[in-house]
């Protein structure tokens, strides 16, 4: 038997290179900090009667139960969370569907009033998966979302997270083409990474897939106590690792999950404990992390 008879050809994305984990060991984030921490708030809106979306029960024909549960985040939970971010002086990484601006503009305004907020594109609605759109429709959606968010906020929007982290084979090309400088879709590292595209430069900034209330609490059934313990364990380990190499930690939240009162009660305690370390860490947003990494690489 020859090598070619048993070796299986592995398909490859060809988006990024491998690298040793201590490649940037001599570098630091601004002000000599070694751990960068950001907290992402996902403001999402859903189409009534559409089965797409996180669920706490099997959907029925007119899925009021799951739709109304998700809508609680925009009507109630999101407001209490915005107040908490302000009280704890956490600059939000605000990942927002543009559909929020149509039906919940006051909620968007409340979050945009948080000090240090960064607005990040998150598609038009989480009732659609970006990777299932035609090339023309995906391109139009990306362009529309960036233009709408920039018009609304008066600031440049540089980052993107696809609804459901759903990509087509050319999503990175379309993001670079339409002016985005980083994506949160690829959760493959604890530092930013250059992505190869045929249309321009694009960074991948780490985004959490498990320190994230949707996958951990909804399909996997973790309690809020377990989720908060995961946050603290992630923080403790990355603090230790940051002694030898700069690190990035993200926490991803959704108002209809983290904003439920029994979860909110526990979450605000753990966030308060993390903020007690603000003199030791860099509390920031993904856009600042991307910019600092670019400066680090250029040195």
């Amino acid at each position: 038997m020859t090598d070619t008879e048993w070796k299986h050809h592995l398909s490859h994305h060809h988006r990024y290179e491998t690298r040793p984990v201590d490649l940037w060991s001599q570098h630091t984030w601004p002000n000599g900090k070694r751990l960068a921490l950001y907290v992402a708030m996902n403001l999402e809106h859903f189409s009534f009667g559409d089965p797409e979306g996180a669920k706490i029960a099997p959907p029925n024909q007119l899925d009021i139960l799951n739709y109304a549960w998700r809508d609680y985040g925009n009507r109630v939970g999101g407001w209490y969370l915005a107040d908490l971010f302000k009280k704890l002086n956490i600059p939000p990484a605000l990942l927002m569907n543009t559909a929020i601006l149509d039906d919940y503009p006051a909620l968007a305004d409340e979050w945009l009033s948080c000090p240090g907020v960064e607005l990040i594109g998150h598609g038009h609605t989480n009732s659609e998966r970006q990777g299932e759109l035609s090339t023309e429709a995906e391109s139009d959606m990306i362009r529309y979302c960036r233009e709408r968010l920039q018009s609304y906020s008066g600031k440049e929007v540089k980052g993107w997270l696809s609804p459901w982290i759903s990509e087509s084979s050319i999503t990175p090309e379309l993001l670079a083409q339409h002016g985005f400088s980083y994506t949160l879709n690829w959760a493959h590292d604890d530092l930013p990474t250059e992505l190869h595209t045929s249309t321009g430069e694009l960074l991948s900034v780490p985004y959490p897939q498990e320190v994230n209330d949707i996958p951990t609490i909804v399909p996997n059934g973790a309690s809020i106590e377990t989720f908060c313990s995961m946050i603290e364990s992630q923080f403790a380990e990355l603090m230790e690792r940051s002694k030898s190499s700069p690190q990035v930690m993200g926490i991803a939240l959704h108002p209809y999950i983290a904003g439920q009162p029994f979860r909110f009660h526990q979450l605000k305690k753990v966030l308060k404990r993390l903020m007690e370390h603000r003199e030791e860490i860099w509390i920031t947003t993904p856009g600042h992390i991307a910019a600092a990494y670019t400066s680090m690489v250029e040195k």
Side-chain angles (χ1 to χ4, degrees):
M1 181 181 293
T2 66
D3 284 357
T4 55
E5 289 178 295
W6 63 263
K7 280 186 177 177
H8 178 69
H9 174 70
L10 300 180
S11 60
H12 199 280
H13 50 76
H14 300 294
R15 289 295 183 190
Y16 53 82
E17 309 295 337
T18 60
R19 66 185 178 193
V21 294
D22 61 351
L23 181 63
W24 307 108
S25 59
Q26 303 306 312
H27 292 80
T28 64
W29 299 119
N31 299 316
K33 303 295 176 64
R34 300 280 284 187
L35 175 60
L37 172 68
Y38 74 87
V39 186
M41 182 57 58
N42 293 259
L43 294 189
E44 299 170 350
H45 198 19
F46 298 83
S47 178
F48 182 63
D50 192 309
E52 188 66 88
K55 302 171 182 66
I56 56 170
N60 50 38
Q61 188 170 3
L62 192 61
D63 194 9
I64 293 173
L65 188 157
N66 288 306
Y67 176 87
W69 170 68
R70 292 189 293 261
D71 216 28
Y72 178 91
N74 296 331
R75 295 176 60 83
V76 182
W79 293 88
Y80 285 96
L81 282 160
D83 182 63
L84 177 64
F85 273 58
K86 290 179 180 180
K87 287 179 178 177
L88 296 181
N89 193 24
I90 301 173
L94 186 63
L95 287 71
M96 188 168 73
N97 290 166
T98 50
I100 289 286
L101 295 175
D102 297 330
D103 291 339
Y104 292 99
L107 179 63
D109 291 345
E110 181 68 14
W111 278 97
L112 260 291
S113 71
C114 291
V117 62
E118 181 193 356
L119 185 56
I120 298 167
H122 190 32
H124 181 64
T125 171
N126 269 51
S127 285
E128 65 184 7
R129 293 182 182 260
Q130 181 175 339
E132 298 174 358
L133 300 175
S134 69
T135 297
E136 182 179 5
E138 183 182 11
S139 179
D140 286 346
M141 187 268 287
I142 291 171
R143 174 193 53 76
Y144 168 81
C145 289
R146 187 165 189 257
E147 291 177 354
R148 180 91 189 271
L149 293 178
Q150 290 186 157
S151 176
Y152 160 67
S153 67
K155 297 180 180 179
E156 186 177 9
V157 174
K158 299 179 179 181
W160 180 268
L161 179 75
S162 295
W164 297 108
I165 311 188
S166 173
E167 281 205 355
S168 71
S169 61
I170 61 167
T171 296
E173 276 73 22
L174 293 175
L175 291 174
Q177 175 184 322
H178 288 296
F180 287 93
S181 60
Y182 76 86
T183 175
L184 298 170
N185 284 351
W186 291 72
H188 64 276
D189 210 314
D190 289 326
L191 278 175
T193 308
E194 296 88 351
L195 293 183
H196 301 305
T197 85
S198 61
T199 55
E201 295 181 357
L202 190 69
L203 271 183
S204 167
V205 174
Y207 180 79
Q209 285 292 56
E210 292 188 85
V211 185
N212 181 325
D213 57 8
I214 279 188
T216 298
I217 291 175
V218 179
N220 292 321
S223 68
I224 185 59
E225 288 79 11
T226 296
F227 183 64
C228 288
S229 177
M230 289 169 60
I231 292 173
E232 296 201 283
S233 293
Q234 183 90 343
F235 179 77
E237 180 62 25
L238 290 181
M239 279 289 284
E240 184 67 24
R241 294 183 186 185
S242 71
K243 295 176 182 177
S244 57
S245 180
Q247 301 286 314
V248 172
M249 176 176 170
I251 301 169
L253 304 172
H254 299 73
Y256 58 92
I257 300 173
Q260 298 290 340
F262 71 96
R263 294 194 186 101
F264 179 87
H265 184 71
Q266 298 297 327
L267 178 70
K268 66 182 180 182
K269 294 178 183 179
V270 75
L271 290 181
K272 182 177 181 180
R273 287 196 291 271
L274 291 190
M275 294 307 111
E276 291 172 355
H277 294 271
R278 65 171 62 248
E279 296 303 317
E280 306 164 58
I281 64 176
W282 183 31
I283 302 170
T284 185
T285 63
H288 288 300
I289 292 170
Y293 178 81
T294 299
S295 297
M296 184 189 301
V297 171
E298 292 174 348
K299 288 182 180 179

